[in-house]
Amino acid sequence: MGNDLIGQYSPGTSLLHRLDARAKLINLLLLAISLVLVKNVIGYFWICGLLVLLYHYSGISVRPALSSMKKLSGFFLLILFMNAFFFSTQDALWQWWIFHLTREGVWHGIQVIFCICPLMLLSNLLLQTTKPMEITSAISRLLKPLALFHLPSQEIAMILSVAVQFIPILSKEADTIKKAQVARGARFDSKHLADRARSYLPLVVPVFLAAFKRADELATAMEARGYRSASHRTVRPAPALTRQDMGSIVDTCREKQITTVCM
């Protein structure tokens, strides 16, 4: 797989590549909170500017992520439609039957979309600048306090890591099957919604079968290597967070404060 595949780790020497995975996850959480708190255009422009800087200094191309988001345009339009016509029934600009078009609903739909898109770009940046095992280890260490409540933090971390790593694999699998269907006459670019829906239906079963096959192969490989339970594995001591790691978290907190002021 190419390094430009969304969600695929891309080796590099940038500051983002060198940051501790725990710091990256904390920063991602803080930025996600900022996205939820943003309520106006100025705040969104501020976050978009931060995204441009992060991608620029990481050396990661944003085009694959934007291309992947473009494929979800129908999903975003559905979110906008549901909010525009069902969010509120007061001061409707237009109404018919159960549909009530309101300014409040349209703005809320735009807010949801502008919250999801930057979060997807930030998540992709995290995956492309962090090794899978580092993500697993960081999640396990950040969830370690859950052991006080007898929750298996290491198993949860392993499940989340495997699920995340399956995203680019299944994406490539779906793209391969899609090209094969196009060669057989499938009309994915048809202007008629019904034709496009019928073209996408044959993708569902092969992709699910591929996912189950990959999962079975992974389980067999882990069992063959003696993997039984994460709770009985030896864990390398966690390295201390460096000044760069702590500085990035402090800068993200400042960014969150600025975003809150922009509200």
Side-chain angles (χ1 to χ4, degrees), residues 1-18:
M1 287 182 291
N3 288 338
D4 60 344
L5 186 63
I6 181 172
Q8 180 75 17
Y9 173 68
S10 179
T13 58
S14 68
L15 176 60
L16 284 176
H17 283 85
R18 298 195 304 269

Side-chain angles (χ1 to χ4, degrees), residues 33-242:
I33 295 174
S34 298
L35 285 169
V36 174
L37 294 177
V38 170
K39 299 298 181 182
N40 58 31
V41 178
I42 298 176
Y44 290 125
F45 272 111
W46 187 269
I47 291 178
C48 288
L50 176 63
L51 275 170
V52 172
L53 289 175
L54 288 174
Y55 269 90
H56 173 71
Y57 286 111
S58 67
I60 301 296
S61 175
V62 72
R63 290 182 181 179
L66 293 177
S67 177
S68 178
M69 290 171 57
K70 185 179 179 181
K71 297 176 183 178
L72 297 174
S73 57
F75 171 69
F76 294 140
L77 288 175
L78 178 62
I79 291 177
L80 183 60
F81 174 83
M82 295 296 293
N83 282 274
F85 288 96
F86 297 102
F87 182 76
S88 175
T89 58
Q90 299 179 354
D91 301 325
L93 301 175
W94 176 85
Q95 59 182 4
W96 174 75
W97 193 32
I98 60 174
F99 303 100
H100 298 81
L101 178 63
T102 60
R103 289 191 180 91
E104 185 180 2
V106 173
W107 175 238
H108 188 266
I110 294 174
Q111 285 181 310
V112 173
I113 294 172
F114 272 86
C115 180
I116 295 175
C117 291
L119 189 57
M120 290 176 62
L121 292 174
L122 288 169
S123 301
N124 176 64
L125 190 60
L126 170 68
L127 295 175
Q128 290 201 279
T129 58
T130 315
K131 295 179 180 179
M133 291 306 299
E134 291 179 356
I135 295 177
T136 304
S137 178
I139 294 176
S140 177
R141 284 161 179 157
L142 290 175
L143 295 180
K144 202 170 183 179
L146 295 179
L148 297 175
F149 304 97
H150 304 288
L151 293 176
S153 59
Q154 293 184 347
E155 280 83 355
I156 294 174
M158 178 63 70
I159 292 171
L160 292 175
S161 178
V162 170
V164 167
Q165 295 308 312
F166 261 57
I167 294 175
I169 296 174
L170 295 180
S171 177
K172 184 180 180 182
E173 195 81 32
D175 187 61
T176 302
I177 297 172
K178 181 179 178 180
K179 291 178 180 178
Q181 293 294 336
V182 170
R184 292 177 174 86
R187 303 174 61 186
F188 291 101
D189 57 348
S190 175
K191 295 182 180 180
H192 299 286
L193 186 60
D195 291 339
R196 293 178 64 182
R198 281 193 294 268
S199 298
Y200 274 100
L201 283 177
L203 291 179
V204 177
V205 175
V207 170
F208 268 100
L209 290 177
F212 288 128
K213 182 181 178 181
R214 298 270 186 177
D216 184 64
E217 291 175 350
L218 178 61
T220 303
M222 293 174 67
E223 186 176 355
R225 287 166 174 80
Y227 183 89
R228 292 296 180 268
S229 174
S231 59
H232 300 295
R233 298 174 62 198
T234 58
V235 181
R236 186 178 63 180
L241 294 176
T242 64

